[in-house]
């Protein structure tokens, strides 16, 4: 028992028997001094990390994030570096266990730290979705670029299966997407560094944005036949007389603010109505004044988890707060009626009910946002449209003067993989190594697989004659055949998973060449959630002459670069995954040579895992599945919480990752365990920043 | 109501502001002291779908340039305009071929910097100028469009040339009545009402009291924003009783195409003349607009401007030349109106830069090079006029934009992909 649950139980033991202090001094400090002291001592410590100053357990506890890094470096065999004396397995284990226990300690007045509450402004996507659902619109409220230019008729998560052939209608980026207010909108939100755009600390509210909320409200309320366009508003718009308006407004506020409005609050929101009536406004005009206040209200615009002075330093979230966390996590929108009912009934306090609700929500079409918001940001697919490959990569461009591009096709390929896993509740390991994928005619040609999939394309009608004509060609409208996507079984393991998606390979390349550094950094950040640090020293730019002229491959140029010892440490981690993908050109096409020079896709990871190409690299990743699963869980949990993860989240991440592994790595298990997790259900309840770091 | 009314017929009819001058003189901000330098103003007029190049660009460079058939309406203000040829922009693959013409015409992003999906949009030149000269006016800037087509089929990328920042369009006002109300009326709409602002401010203070320290700071952003909106509305309310309104708002959107565009030009002239704003953008039509449009007095039947640019016959080319000339006529109307408005010993035009141009040159090929652009006015002596200059090779349009930005006090070292200013236009 003790061995199987070291984290949680040792946390209890810490409280019960303070023998751990001796353990640090007996088991940890000597190991660190022996193996790390030469570089990380008090004299000119490498990387500014002085480990000699931690003499007692109390010293170390005061700096837990540092010790989290120490333990991870040991576990990942990154430190001590190759060629230096290595600790024994028992020594490594002792350090890792002490750190794991320290991270799981209940150091917030006897409770574990669930993280501070995050006051979080709705993102543009969330505001759109919230108001859309609040009013019952059949379209978006306004157009905005995070809404990807796809019609998603194929996306039906309740079916439990993505069909073997789907039709994807892509709009030209910037084309009109159906929206109630064609020209209204809000400014966009920047994503947090190494994080998602929904992170509370990264979201601002400017005077201009506030005026935009007012303008959106004005535009909305000026829509002719608003009651028809917004069925959920029709009752309120039709209400006449203060008592009737008040009753309808109370219902509306409960949905807008995601919890029932007390009578005093309803009265407050009737003030604009009363003021307008006193001015002689009509009933309809007066109701609109109150509606405008709702649409610009902090209760709508912010997700807040206020302090409760009656409770201790940690409090469980109430049902309405949990309902909001659930719905903004999975739908990027407000809770629906069923969630609000569960919140009212108090059943969400039961983790089993939380899981049941999450599983219900995963079957709703609104879960598309998990693909279009979470996955797009997780994989940095939002940067795809900024990639502008050189014109010599001809298959990327089409149409007159090559003004049509593969951006939308590559995006669809990546989304369809995520959505297949999501809809079919497959294992998240498919993200690394799937033997299937979705392709259309253009991508099949782009990847050079026309011969392999000829029969399947014929059967699916993908080889129908081109039916484009006239202006449609100029606008790069798809022909009917190009809208058809078929599920393929990859002929071999060089393709499959996000690593080998053209979208990822393109967005991590420069216009002229591949960038093993950018690709490697993508792997570290997206797959492992361990983004490399920014370069510490200025480096000479790489010789940009193509291989034909320079006589060197990109890899050879980089290797020369890495001879600089200041660079070698980090690049030993960053570059190898990039080398593994060198068989893919800057737009994701397969290649065996760079100009006249053969590609070398072999490499070795810091812990000694070797590979000789993309398939073997995937094997190397899967040899340590846990590291990938942990990275994925961290991304998912950070997105769900709307905050960066902290050292005290580590035990929960480990717990969730273990549960995911036990359940066949299913995506739904990851979602269920996230929503049942301690930081998802609790919040720090201290008035200052008082929790210990 | 103490507002002095000006008969709208004197303002909005026929020759527009020229007839209304005596009254407008009364409306201009009083007592500006002992003649400090008049404010500088900028207006950008956007025409979509490119132009017919051979009838637009003169052959002779320098001060003796000839007025081509398209530019002929500028004859009365020939010495007040600078005509440019050979200025270039870059298209960035990844969006529709027309989507970057207008949307990125004035933006300060180099083509490789796409922070907005596939678009290199960023704070546009007019908004950067507004930061320099628009702080003291009721409206920092005015955005107008002459497209009131009801189907609203295009996105902001086709309708907006003004951007607050990446992806953040300053949506244009299309209805001259609403534009008039915005310029000269009290702030309108339920959302801006005092009771609404008071309520949401009170609500945020209530929420703030229940938050931890960091969240309280976060919510300050919201309170600051509400206060800023309140300040603007109070300022407008204070100003309103004494402020003359130039007559009643226009009754309707004119059916006549030219009258519609000239009415919007009148509004720009009025806004400048009354110092209600110092920066304006006027979109003649959305980019790629292809609903047939009546050009009264030019054609018997409505014409599809975008369709014509992709029609390969001489008749279509002639029609495009006529549409180009029609647009230049409306621009000339605005330039003449500002020239006729006296200010500080000269004219409003002397202190302004009034630009017309398109984001593509040859509409059929969607060329982003050799763009047509004309600048009228000397921006208070900062700009030179009265010449045609053609730049061989690749010279970024952004070099002209940087020159203009500097003329309005901007200190930026670069604008988008600029490589420097244009000595020919910098006085």
């Amino acid at each position: 028992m003790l061995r199987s649950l070291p984290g949680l139980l040792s946390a209890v033991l810490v409280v019960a028997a303070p023998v751990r202090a001796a353990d640090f001094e007996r088991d940890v400090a000597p190991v660190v001094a022996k193996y790390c002291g030469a570089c990380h001592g008090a004299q000119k410590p490498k990387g500014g990390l002085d480990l000699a100053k931690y003499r007692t357990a109390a010293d170390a506890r005061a700096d837990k994030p540092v010790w989290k890094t120490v333990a991870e470096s040991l576990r990942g065999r990154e430190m001590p570096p190759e060629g230096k004396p290595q600790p024994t397995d028992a020594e490594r284990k002792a350090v890792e266990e002490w750190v794991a226990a320290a991270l799981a300690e209940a150091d917030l007045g006897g409770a574990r730290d669930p993280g501070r509450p995050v006051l979080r402004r709705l993102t543009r996507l969330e505001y759109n979705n919230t108001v859309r659902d609040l009013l019952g619109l059949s379209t978006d409220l306004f157009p905005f670029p995070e809404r990807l230019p796809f019609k998603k008729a194929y996306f039906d998560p309740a079916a439990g299966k993505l069909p073997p052939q789907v039709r994807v209608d892509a709009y030209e980026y910037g084309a009109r997407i159906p929206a109630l207010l064609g020209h209204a909108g809000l400014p966009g939100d920047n994503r947090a560094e190494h994080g998602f755009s929904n992170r509370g600390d990264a979201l601002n509210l400017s005077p201009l944005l506030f005026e935009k909320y007012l303008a959106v409200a004005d535009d909305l309320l000026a829509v002719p036949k608003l009651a028809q366009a917004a069925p959920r508003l029709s009752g309120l718009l039709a209400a006449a007389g203060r008592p009737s308006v008040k009753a309808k407004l109370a219902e509306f506020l409960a949905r807008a603010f995601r919890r029932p409005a007390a009578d005093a609050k309803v009265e407050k929101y009737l003030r604009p109505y009363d003021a307008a009536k006193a001015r002689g406004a009509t009933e309809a005009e007066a109701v609109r004044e109150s509606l405008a206040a709702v649409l610009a209200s902090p209760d709508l615009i912010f997700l807040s988890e206020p302090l409760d002075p009656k409770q201790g330093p940690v409090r469980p979230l109430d049902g309405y707060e949990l309902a909001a966390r659930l719905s903004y996590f999975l739908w990027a929108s407000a809770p629906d009626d069923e969630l609000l009912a569960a919140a009212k009934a108090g059943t969400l306090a039961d983790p089993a009910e939380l899981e049941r609700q999450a599983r219900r929500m995963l079957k709703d079409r609104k879960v598309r946002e998990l693909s279009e918001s979470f996955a797009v940001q997780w994989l940095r697919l939002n940067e795809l449209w900024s990639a502008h490959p050189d014109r010599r990569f001809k298959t990327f461009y089409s149409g007159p003067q090559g003004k049509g591009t593969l951006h939308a096709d590559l995006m669809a390929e990546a989304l369809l993989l995520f959505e297949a896993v999501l809809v079919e509740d497959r294992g998240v390991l498919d993200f690394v190594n799937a033997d299937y994928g979705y392709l259309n005619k253009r991508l099949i040609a782009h990847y050079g697989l026309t011969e392999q999939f000829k029969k399947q394309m014929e059967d699916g009608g993908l080889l129908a004659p081109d039916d484009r004509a006239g202006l449609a060609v100029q606008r790069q409208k798809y022909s009917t055949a190009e809208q058809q996507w078929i599920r393929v079984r990859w002929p071999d393991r060089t393709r499959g998973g996000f690593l080998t998606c053209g979208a990822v390979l393109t967005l991590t390349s420069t216009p002229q060449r591949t960038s093993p550094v950018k690709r490697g950094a993508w792997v570290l950040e997206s797959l492992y959630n361990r983004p490399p640090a920014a370069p510490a020293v200025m480096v000479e730019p790489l010789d940009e002459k193509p291989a034909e002229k320079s006589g060197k491959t990109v890899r050879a140029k980089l290797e020369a670069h890495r001879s600089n010892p200041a660079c070698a440490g980090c690049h030993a981690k960053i570059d190898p995954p990039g080398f593994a993908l060198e068989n893919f050109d800057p737009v994701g096409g397969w290649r065996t040579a760079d100009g006249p020079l053969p590609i070398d896709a072999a490499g070795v990871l810091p812990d000694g895992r070797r590979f000789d190409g993309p398939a073997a690299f995937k094997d190397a990743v899967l040899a340590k599945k846990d590291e990938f699963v942990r990275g994925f869980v961290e991304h998912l949990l950070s997105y769900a919480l709307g905050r960066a993860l902290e050292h005290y989240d580590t035990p929960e991440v480990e717990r969730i990752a273990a549960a995911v592994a036990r359940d066949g790595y299913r995506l739904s298990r990851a979602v269920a365990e996230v929503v049942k997790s301690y930081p998802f259900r609790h919040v720090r309840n201290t008035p200052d920043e008082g929790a210990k770091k | 109501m103490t507002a002095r009314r000006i008969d709208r017929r004197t303002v909005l009819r026929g020759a527009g502001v020229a007839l209304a001058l005596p009254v407008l003189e009364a409306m201009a901000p009083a007592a500006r002291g002992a003649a400090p330098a008049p404010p500088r103003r900028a207006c950008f007029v956007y025409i979509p779908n490119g132009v017919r190049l051979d009838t637009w660009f003169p052959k002779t460079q320098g001060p003796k340039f000839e007025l081509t058939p398209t530019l002929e309406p500028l004859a009365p203000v020939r010495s007040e305009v600078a005509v440019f040829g050979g200025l270039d922009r870059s298209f960035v693959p990844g969006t529709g071929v027309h989507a970057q013409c207008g949307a990125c015409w004035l933006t300060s992003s180099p083509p490789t910097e796409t922070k907005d999906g596939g678009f290199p949009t960023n704070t546009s030149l007019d908004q950067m100028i507004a930061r320099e000269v628009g702080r003291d006016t009721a409206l920092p800037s005015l955005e107008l469009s002459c497209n009131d087509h009801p189907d609203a089929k295009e996105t902001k990328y086709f309708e907006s040339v003004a951007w607050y920042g990446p992806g953040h369009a300053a949506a244009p006002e299309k209805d001259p009545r609403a534009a008039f109300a915005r310029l000269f009326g009290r702030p309108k709409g339920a959302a801006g009402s005092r009771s609404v602002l008071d309520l949401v401010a009170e609500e945020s203070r209530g929420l703030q009291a229940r938050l931890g320290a960091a969240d309280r700071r976060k919510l300050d952003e919201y309170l600051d924003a509400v206060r800023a909106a309140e300040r603007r509305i109070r300022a407008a309310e204070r100003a309103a009783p004494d402020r003359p309104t130039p007559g009643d708002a226009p009754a309707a959107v004119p059916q006549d195409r030219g009258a519609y565009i000239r009415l919007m030009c009148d509004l720009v002239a009025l806004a400048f003349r009354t110092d209600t704003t110092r920066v304006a953008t006027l979109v003649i039509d959305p980019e790629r607009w292809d609903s047939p449009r009546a050009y009264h007095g030019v054609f018997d039947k409505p014409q599809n401007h975008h369709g014509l640019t992709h029609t390969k016959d001489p008749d279509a080319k002639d029609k495009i030349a006529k549409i180009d000339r029609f647009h230049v006529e409306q621009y000339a109307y605005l330039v003449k109106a500002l020239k006729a408005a006296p200010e500080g010993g000269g004219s409003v035009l002397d202190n302004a830069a009034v630009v017309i141009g398109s984001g593509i040159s040859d509409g059929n090929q969607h060329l982003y090079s050799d763009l047509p652009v004309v600048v009228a006015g000397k921006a208070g002596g900062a700009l030179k006029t009265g010449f045609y200059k053609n730049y061989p090779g690749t010279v970024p349009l952004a070099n002209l934009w940087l020159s203009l930005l500097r003329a309005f006090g901007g200190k930026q070292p670069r604008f988008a992909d600029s490589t420097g200013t244009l000595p020919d236009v910098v006085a």
Side-chain angles (χ1 to χ4, degrees):
Chain A
M1 273 306 278
L2 270 171
R3 299 241 66 87
S4 65
L5 287 170
L8 290 174
L9 289 184
S10 50
V12 176
L13 288 178
V14 165
V15 179
V19 289
R20 280 284 158 179
D23 283 350
F24 179 82
E25 284 153 33
R26 190 187 62 219
D27 303 330
V28 179
V31 173
V32 168
K34 182 174 170 190
Y35 296 100
C36 316
C39 296
H40 298 290
Q43 301 299 317
K44 284 195 190 169
K46 286 218 169 150
L49 177 63
D50 168 14
L51 293 176
K53 68 181 177 188
Y54 303 103
R55 295 206 176 83
T56 65
D59 294 344
R61 282 207 176 86
D63 243 348
K64 286 181 186 172
V66 166
W67 285 90
K68 178 174 188 263
T69 310
V70 169
E72 279 186 6
S73 302
L74 282 172
R75 185 162 77 170
R77 299 291 197 276
E78 290 161 21
M79 287 286 159
E82 215 180 324
K84 303 281 184 197
Q86 299 290 321
T88 66
D89 284 353
E91 285 169 329
R92 277 183 206 270
K93 196 162 188 196
V95 178
E96 285 169 35
E97 282 188 1
W98 184 86
V99 171
L103 292 176
E105 277 165 8
D107 49 8
L108 199 64
R112 280 162 61 204
D113 192 344
R116 71 172 192 82
V118 179
L119 180 76
R120 178 155 104 60
R121 171 172 72 67
L122 299 185
T123 63
R124 170 162 62 183
L125 168 75
E126 289 167 339
Y127 186 85
N128 170 81
N129 291 356
T130 299
V131 177
R132 175 200 67 197
D133 294 344
L134 181 60
L135 306 182
L137 305 181
S138 57
T139 63
D140 279 320
L141 178 63
F142 45 65
F144 55 107
E146 299 89 288
R147 177 63 71 225
L148 297 174
F150 298 110
K151 284 184 207 164
K152 309 209 32 157
Y154 67 84
F155 185 70
D156 179 15
K161 178 79 185 156
L162 222 48
Q165 183 161 350
V166 297
R167 177 180 162 145
V168 180
D169 294 301
Y171 304 92
E172 180 183 279
Y173 212 107
R176 190 168 68 94
I177 291 176
L180 182 64
L181 310 174
H183 301 287
L186 300 177
D189 311 300
N190 296 325
R191 86 182 252 171
E193 191 175 7
H194 304 312
F196 296 90
S197 65
N198 72 354
R199 234 167 72 177
D201 57 356
L203 289 160
N204 290 111
L205 198 149
S206 63
L208 198 68
L209 175 57
F210 181 73
E211 285 179 24
K212 286 284 161 186
Y213 288 129
L214 298 179
V216 166
D218 270 341
D219 282 2
L220 175 70
L221 297 174
V223 167
K225 299 184 183 164
L226 181 59
Q228 274 177 34
R232 300 203 77 169
L233 203 55
S234 54
L236 180 53
L237 289 173
R242 198 175 192 281
S244 167
V245 169
K246 184 176 175 181
K248 293 288 179 193
L249 186 64
E251 288 170 22
F252 186 71
L253 289 184
R255 288 191 293 115
F257 298 162
R258 306 172 278 267
R259 64 170 60 239
D263 186 69
K265 187 151 234 165
V266 182
E267 279 294 331
K268 256 190 210 172
Y269 280 85
L270 275 169
R271 278 190 219 156
Y273 167 88
D274 291 336
K277 290 286 280 187
R279 282 201 316 269
T282 66
E283 196 76 15
E285 285 165 356
V287 166
R288 277 159 205 250
E289 296 250 344
S290 281
L291 268 174
V294 176
L295 294 174
S297 163
D299 285 321
L300 176 86
I301 290 169
F302 289 96
L303 297 172
S304 65
E305 286 151 1
L307 300 171
D308 182 351
K310 293 192 289 293
Q311 299 199 52
V314 170
R315 74 170 175 90
L317 293 175
D318 74 22
Y320 294 104
E321 289 165 333
L322 284 170
R325 279 198 176 195
L326 270 174
S327 65
Y328 284 93
F329 170 34
L330 295 175
W331 292 343
S333 185
D336 64 356
D337 291 341
E338 183 170 342
L339 271 175
L340 289 176
K344 186 179 181 190
T347 53
L348 293 179
D350 175 8
E353 174 65 6
L354 271 180
E355 175 166 346
R356 199 191 69 77
Q357 288 289 351
R359 290 186 180 278
R360 171 183 74 87
M361 295 169 73
L362 285 171
K363 297 292 176 195
D364 189 292
R365 280 179 201 270
K366 284 189 279 189
V367 82
R368 66 184 283 182
E369 308 295 12
L370 208 56
S371 163
E372 295 182 38
S373 180
F374 167 74
V376 162
Q377 295 183 65
W378 165 46
L379 301 167
R380 304 222 314 258
L381 297 174
N382 49 321
E383 294 169 28
L384 175 61
W385 260 278
S386 305
H388 305 297
D390 189 83
R391 292 280 179 173
R392 77 191 147 90
F393 300 105
K394 289 197 175 64
T395 53
F396 193 83
Y397 296 95
S398 59
Q401 298 170 60
K403 284 178 177 173
T405 68
L406 285 183
H407 288 115
D409 309 77
L410 295 174
M411 178 68 95
E413 181 202 359
L415 289 181
L416 283 164
L417 174 57
F418 187 86
E419 288 163 3
V421 173
L422 176 65
V423 169
E424 299 170 11
D425 196 14
R426 305 177 71 94
V428 296
L429 298 181
D430 285 8
F431 296 149
V432 175
N433 183 41
D435 62 0
Y436 59 91
Y438 281 86
L439 293 175
N440 69 351
K441 181 179 159 186
R442 289 167 78 162
L443 284 190
I444 288 171
H446 179 61
Y447 290 160
L449 298 170
T450 308
E451 278 310 307
Q452 282 91 329
F453 295 135
K454 199 165 181 195
K455 172 81 171 63
Q456 217 180 328
M457 285 202 285
E458 269 169 16
D459 295 348
L462 274 65
L463 297 178
D466 198 327
D467 59 0
R468 290 176 298 181
L471 274 179
V473 176
Q474 305 251 1
R475 295 196 199 163
Q476 297 99 41
K477 287 255 170 68
Y478 281 171
S479 70
T480 316
E482 283 166 336
Q483 292 165 330
Q484 296 299 326
W485 288 70
I486 48 173
R487 188 168 182 136
V488 299
R489 187 162 291 275
W490 298 108
D492 58 59
R493 291 186 59 244
T494 54
R495 295 271 178 192
F498 287 126
L499 277 168
T500 64
C501 269
V504 169
L505 296 162
T506 302
L507 71 89
T508 52
S509 294
T510 78
Q512 295 294 341
R513 60 169 174 84
T514 61
S515 169
V517 173
K518 287 174 80 173
R519 286 179 177 174
W522 181 93
V523 168
L524 295 186
E525 172 152 11
S526 291
L527 284 198
Y528 292 116
N529 195 30
R530 291 295 178 275
V537 286
M538 282 294 290
V539 290
E540 293 280 310
L542 222 54
D543 170 13
E544 289 291 343
K545 281 201 285 290
E548 288 86 345
K549 291 194 180 144
S550 66
K552 283 182 180 171
T553 60
V554 171
R555 174 168 185 164
K557 291 174 193 168
L558 267 178
E559 301 272 17
H561 229 74
R562 279 207 293 159
S563 59
N564 182 345
C567 307
C570 289
H571 282 271
K573 275 196 283 186
I574 300 171
D575 298 356
F579 294 149
L581 301 172
E582 272 291 87
N583 278 124
F584 299 103
D585 71 15
V587 290
W590 178 256
R591 64 178 186 180
T592 51
D594 181 7
L597 306 169
I599 291 291
D600 173 9
V604 54
L605 295 171
D607 65 354
R609 280 174 287 170
R610 293 184 174 278
F611 54 85
D612 61 0
F617 178 69
K618 286 189 243 177
D619 288 335
V621 172
L622 293 176
K624 288 197 174 177
K625 299 181 184 66
D626 295 353
E627 290 185 3
F628 162 72
V629 174
R630 179 197 61 189
F632 178 77
V633 166
E634 287 175 351
H635 281 300
L636 195 66
L637 183 61
S638 173
Y639 179 80
L641 298 175
R643 66 167 171 85
L645 295 192
E646 305 287 351
H647 66 271
Y648 43 73
D649 298 313
T650 309
E652 277 300 278
V653 169
E654 302 288 342
R655 186 193 62 75
I656 297 168
V660 171
R662 281 197 302 274
D663 194 10
Y665 298 96
R666 285 178 199 281
L667 179 59
S668 70
R669 175 53 57 199
V671 167
E673 294 305 318
V674 162
V675 305
K676 290 190 294 181
S677 72
Y678 179 73
F680 192 88
R681 294 187 296 120
H682 298 81
V683 74
R684 202 188 291 167
N685 193 44
T686 53
D688 49 21
E689 306 300 285
K692 274 185 260 169
K693 284 280 168 188
Chain B
M1 295 304 287
T2 54
R4 287 164 289 166
R5 298 216 153 212
I6 299 167
D7 185 339
R8 83 182 161 90
R9 281 166 300 184
T10 59
V11 178
L12 298 172
R13 267 203 191 158
V17 288
L19 283 183
L21 283 176
V23 210
L24 285 167
E25 199 60 21
M27 288 178 59
R32 238 196 233 106
R40 293 180 180 182
R41 304 184 177 99
C43 179
F44 298 87
V45 180
Y46 186 76
I47 46 178
N49 302 326
V51 298
R52 185 172 150 183
L53 304 179
D54 59 335
T55 50
W56 178 287
F57 289 113
K59 300 234 172 353
T60 313
Q61 293 196 54
K64 292 193 190 318
F65 73 96
E66 79 278 14
L67 286 168
T68 54
T70 301
L71 299 183
E72 204 179 2
L74 293 171
V77 289
R78 192 176 177 282
S79 62
E80 317 282 341
V81 299
V83 181
F84 297 91
L87 295 173
D88 312 307
R89 280 188 54 237
S90 300
F91 174 84
V92 192
T95 74
V97 290
H98 277 275
Q100 290 169 36
C101 304
C104 305
W105 186 50
L106 294 177
T107 60
S108 57
S109 260
T112 49
E113 182 188 75
T114 46
K115 295 178 176 175
D116 170 23
F119 293 92
T121 64
N122 205 328
T123 313
S124 52
L125 176 61
D126 58 304
Q127 295 300 312
M128 294 174 92
I129 291 174
R131 286 180 195 167
E132 302 293 338
V133 302
R135 291 172 203 275
D136 303 328
T137 53
L139 285 175
S141 62
L142 176 68
E143 291 77 32
L144 299 173
S145 162
C146 304
N147 169 39
D148 71 326
H149 205 278
D151 72 0
K153 67 176 180 178
E154 288 297 10
T155 66
K156 60 182 179 178
Y157 295 104
F158 296 82
E159 298 240 43
S160 290
V161 298
W163 298 80
Y164 298 124
H168 189 191
E173 183 58 69
K174 301 169 179 182
D175 184 337
R177 294 163 296 189
F180 185 91
R182 185 150 175 256
L183 284 166
F184 304 112
R186 287 159 182 263
K188 237 181 87 181
S193 80
R194 289 290 295 278
S195 58
V196 168
L197 295 181
D198 287 349
L199 169 56
V200 295
E202 185 185 326
E203 285 287 87
S204 66
R205 281 188 291 267
L207 175 58
Q208 205 167 30
R210 297 157 59 215
L211 298 175
D215 283 354
R216 277 206 298 275
R217 284 193 294 277
K218 203 80 200 159
L219 204 55
D220 275 340
E221 290 175 10
Y222 180 91
L223 267 171
D224 286 347
V226 178
R227 287 192 200 108
E230 275 172 349
R231 271 197 301 274
R232 264 189 54 175
I233 287 162
R234 285 208 189 110
E237 283 172 349
R238 269 201 307 274
D242 294 311
R243 189 164 156 196
T245 37
D248 297 325
V253 179
Q255 290 300 301
D256 181 287
R257 183 74 187 143
Y260 181 11
I261 298 172
R262 288 192 298 277
L263 177 54
M264 293 307 234
C265 291
D266 282 337
L267 289 173
V268 172
L270 265 176
F272 281 6
R273 195 66 199 89
T274 55
D275 211 23
T276 308
T277 191
R278 294 173 185 171
V279 179
T281 47
L282 176 60
V283 172
I284 296 285
D285 247 338
E287 190 54 58
R288 201 183 69 182
W289 188 256
D290 57 6
S291 295
R293 183 74 92 186
Y295 295 88
H296 302 86
V298 185
F299 304 108
D300 297 337
K301 282 188 285 190
Q303 301 292 327
N304 174 343
H305 187 191
H306 177 235
L308 284 172
T309 66
H310 295 297
T311 309
K312 286 181 181 61
D313 73 69
D315 186 42
K317 291 191 84 174
D318 286 348
K319 283 181 172 171
I320 292 171
K322 283 181 177 165
I323 291 174
D324 293 344
R325 183 186 161 111
F326 173 79
H327 288 151
V328 172
E329 278 171 9
Q330 316 312 320
Y331 168 70
Y333 170 86
L334 173 61
V335 173
K336 285 186 284 185
L338 295 176
K339 190 186 178 187
E343 183 178 55
S347 70
V348 172
L349 181 65
D350 290 336
N351 303 312
V354 184
V355 181
I356 187 171
S358 184
I360 41 174
S361 52
D362 181 321
N364 182 41
Q365 297 184 64
H366 307 118
L367 290 182
Y368 279 57
S369 53
D370 202 16
L371 300 171
V373 56
V374 175
V375 180
K378 294 187 174 66
L383 302 176
K384 290 187 282 196
T385 59
F387 63 87
Y388 167 57
K389 172 74 181 175
N390 189 293
Y391 295 90
T394 300
V395 177
L397 176 67
N399 286 10
L400 175 60
W401 293 163
L402 182 65
S403 308
L404 291 182
L405 184 55
R406 297 273 180 84
F408 285 87
K411 303 280 191 290
Q412 287 82 346
R414 263 183 306 285
F415 185 94
D417 56 345
S418 71
T419 55
T421 55
L422 298 179
D424 305 280
V425 72
V426 177

